[in-house]
Amino acid sequence: MDKQGFTTGIVHGDRIAGTEHGGVRQPIHTSVQYGFERVEDLIGVFQGTKKGGFNYARQGTPTTAALERKITQLEDGVGTICFGTGMAAITATFLTLLLAGDHLVSSKYVFGNTNSLFGTLKTLGVEVTTVDACDASQVKSAIRPNTRMLFVETIANPGTQIPDLQGIGEVCRERGFAYVVDNTITSPALFKPKAVGASLVINSLTKTVAGHGAALGGAVTDTGLLDWGGYPNIADDYRRSASKEQGLLQIRKKGLRDMGAALSSEQAHSIAMGAETLVLRVKQSSDNALALARFLEGHEAIGKVFYPGLKSHPQYEIAQALFKGASWLLSFELLNAERMIDVVNALKLPIKATGLADTRTLIIPVAPTIFFEAGADTRRAMGISDGLLRLSAGIEDIDDLIADFEQALKRAA
Ligand SMILES: *Cc1c(COP(=O)(O)O)cnc(C)c1O
């Protein structure tokens, strides 16, 4: 079939790939074991010579495989591995592609748990340097002879910083580094990191792709751009496969199979259902976020508003050039931080909850919650003030959201 539009591909993909009884979506395969008529086929699945077979659900099921195909299609990649959570996808990627003595350079503006994971990597002998990746020259000067990988997020949470995605991609291409881009906030509906040279793309499927806040999942997608034949850390066992397959093969065996953070078929199905409306949701929630950001920027009780769709945002031009929209994520400062509790409690629609990319708007004060453990010094270094609120815009009607903020902000004085 001719190359289709993005959403057409999502909603027809299962059917075209073939399902039993003409079902239009993949059924939920609950089997852990998979049996064969001929033992040669069982052996073939173990040895990888029988493609597309299953043997044990920790390494995948027909339902998780269908989701993997869908994510590959969305990211324009060559293959995907799904995990039980986004953190599992990130952990498996780092632990299988980095060895003790290697060096990882990361943006300093990353998801809190990813930052915490860097601490674990250090205890295992992996060196980690974090830099302000909005400036590619800082990334360049952090590079050492043992650097293997660069890691960034497309839009950071909660500050909405956008790294020099293109510039870092060029550095990685020249040097043969693995360029790992966490696309969770933008999702492939707004941006495909392959366009800036990413080698591997991470999505926490829990967030934008599922969108309903009713399933956990994560994915790592190989864009096909890095020649794994030239990447040092592939084990001999996996060197026997075609060079383009070696990276994901090692992540599937050493990460998914051995570490065991598998996605269940039930959750994969739930994520695939959410993914059908990905573009519609992201459009509505991004439109809402922009309208709210403009409203808040003009409000006397509010200080800075961090949203890449505003001209005041330092990376506004990059967002315009690379993304189809500035996403559903914004944060803003209440000028009088002492009024924060009252203002947030006065909001009727936004749910006071952590989590991101739900159909419902979510709000959370940043300093006393997600950045509490980080401590005051880290918060100051990351520009997180006591009055900072993070908002994940949902798909509600915008007039209702603005009216709600209007009444709640009366308590800010
Ligand atoms: C939530 C999140 C993760 C982790 O995903 P989980 O599915 O919650 O494990 C990773 N990266 C980013 C940017 C996130 O927002």
Side-chain angles (χ1 to χ4, degrees):
M1 192 171 282
D2 293 341
K3 183 110 178 110
Q4 296 170 326
F6 189 80
T7 295
T8 309
I10 303 176
V11 297
H12 288 281
D14 283 347
R15 185 173 62 81
I16 288 165
T19 50
E20 293 157 30
H21 314 296
V24 295
R25 36 174 93 88
Q26 278 291 331
I28 304 174
H29 287 269
T30 56
S31 261
V32 173
Q33 271 78 244
Y34 292 82
F36 299 87
E37 287 293 323
R38 298 162 2 111
V39 74
E40 298 92 305
D41 290 335
L42 174 61
I43 293 168
V45 171
F46 264 84
Q47 297 187 0
T49 50
K50 183 175 161 59
K51 297 283 177 199
F54 300 91
N55 60 11
Y56 191 71
R58 177 157 31 79
Q59 294 180 62
T61 71
T63 317
T64 61
L67 181 62
E68 288 175 349
R69 281 197 299 275
K70 214 184 280 287
I71 306 301
T72 301
Q73 187 179 1
L74 300 188
E75 288 290 3
D76 197 12
V78 295
T80 294
I81 303 173
C82 284
F83 291 85
T85 65
M87 281 318 300
I90 295 173
T91 304
T93 301
F94 289 162
L95 290 186
T96 57
L97 295 177
L98 294 169
L99 302 177
D102 286 346
H103 179 230
L104 166 73
V105 180
S106 170
S107 162
K108 67 176 177 180
Y109 303 115
V110 293
F111 185 58
N113 301 157
T114 303
N115 195 46
S116 172
L117 176 63
F118 291 156
T120 306
L121 289 181
K122 288 177 194 169
T123 68
L124 297 173
V126 176
E127 296 166 23
V128 181
T129 307
T130 57
V131 296
D132 183 352
C134 301
D135 175 3
S137 72
Q138 283 202 29
V139 173
K140 267 191 200 147
S141 25
I143 290 168
R144 301 175 188 168
N146 54 342
T147 303
R148 297 281 176 264
M149 183 183 285
L150 266 68
F151 180 82
V152 296
E153 294 177 4
T154 51
I155 301 181
N157 150 35
T160 73
Q161 297 89 346
I162 300 172
D164 182 352
L165 291 161
Q166 201 110 40
I168 298 169
E170 268 152 40
V171 173
C172 290
R173 190 173 46 80
E174 282 161 18
R175 314 283 287 259
F177 299 149
Y179 185 19
V180 182
V181 179
D182 183 334
N183 197 27
T184 297
I185 307 298
T186 28
S187 90
L190 294 178
F191 177 59
K192 297 184 192 189
K194 186 181 182 180
V196 293
S199 326
L200 295 171
V201 181
I202 305 278
N203 278 283
S204 165
L205 304 174
T206 315
K207 314 285 173 58
T208 324
V209 172
H212 41 48
L216 285 162
V220 51
T221 301
D222 189 336
T223 61
L225 295 181
L226 182 69
D227 175 16
W228 295 103
Y231 189 81
N233 298 343
I234 304 293
D236 290 345
D237 278 350
Y238 311 127
R239 286 283 186 219
R240 287 193 281 275
S241 295
S243 64
K244 63 180 191 322
E245 293 172 7
Q246 292 171 5
L248 272 198
L249 185 62
Q250 179 152 308
I251 297 174
R252 189 179 292 280
K253 300 290 185 184
K254 297 289 170 189
L256 184 66
R257 183 194 66 187
D258 296 0
M259 295 174 194
L263 179 67
S264 73
S265 288
E266 287 87 348
Q267 301 275 279
H269 175 77
S270 175
I271 291 164
M273 295 278 282
E276 294 187 357
T277 54
L278 175 61
V279 172
L280 310 182
R281 284 183 286 104
V282 170
K283 178 165 185 354
Q284 173 92 356
S285 56
S286 302
D287 287 353
N288 282 353
L290 179 60
L292 276 170
R294 285 182 176 150
F295 165 78
L296 291 166
E297 196 172 45
H299 198 287
E300 65 201 7
I302 302 295
K304 284 198 190 113
V305 179
F306 303 94
Y307 185 66
L310 294 176
K311 290 211 172 92
S312 57
H313 191 281
Q315 289 93 39
Y316 171 79
E317 298 295 339
I318 295 184
Q320 292 291 312
L322 294 182
F323 305 157
K324 287 187 182 152
S327 100
W328 39 263
L329 173 71
L330 69 142
S331 58
F332 57 97
E333 290 173 341
L334 266 189
L335 284 174
N336 186 351
E338 283 170 17
R339 304 297 303 147
M340 186 162 73
I341 301 286
D342 276 352
V343 169
V344 177
N345 278 336
L347 285 166
K348 297 189 178 88
L349 275 179
I351 301 170
K352 296 171 262 301
T354 190
L356 296 165
D358 199 286
T359 47
R360 291 146 284 248
T361 297
L362 311 175
I363 192 162
I364 191 165
V366 176
T369 61
I370 49 176
F371 274 86
F372 183 67
E373 196 180 305
D377 291 344
T378 304
R379 287 198 295 272
R380 206 169 308 113
M382 290 187 71
I384 292 165
S385 66
D386 289 346
L388 189 70
L389 289 162
R390 180 185 80 189
L391 191 94
S392 167
I395 61 170
E396 297 95 338
D397 296 291
I398 187 61
D399 292 348
D400 294 333
L401 285 171
I402 289 187
D404 197 23
F405 273 93
E406 248 164 8
Q407 64 81 22
L409 284 170
K410 292 203 173 107
R411 301 185 183 232

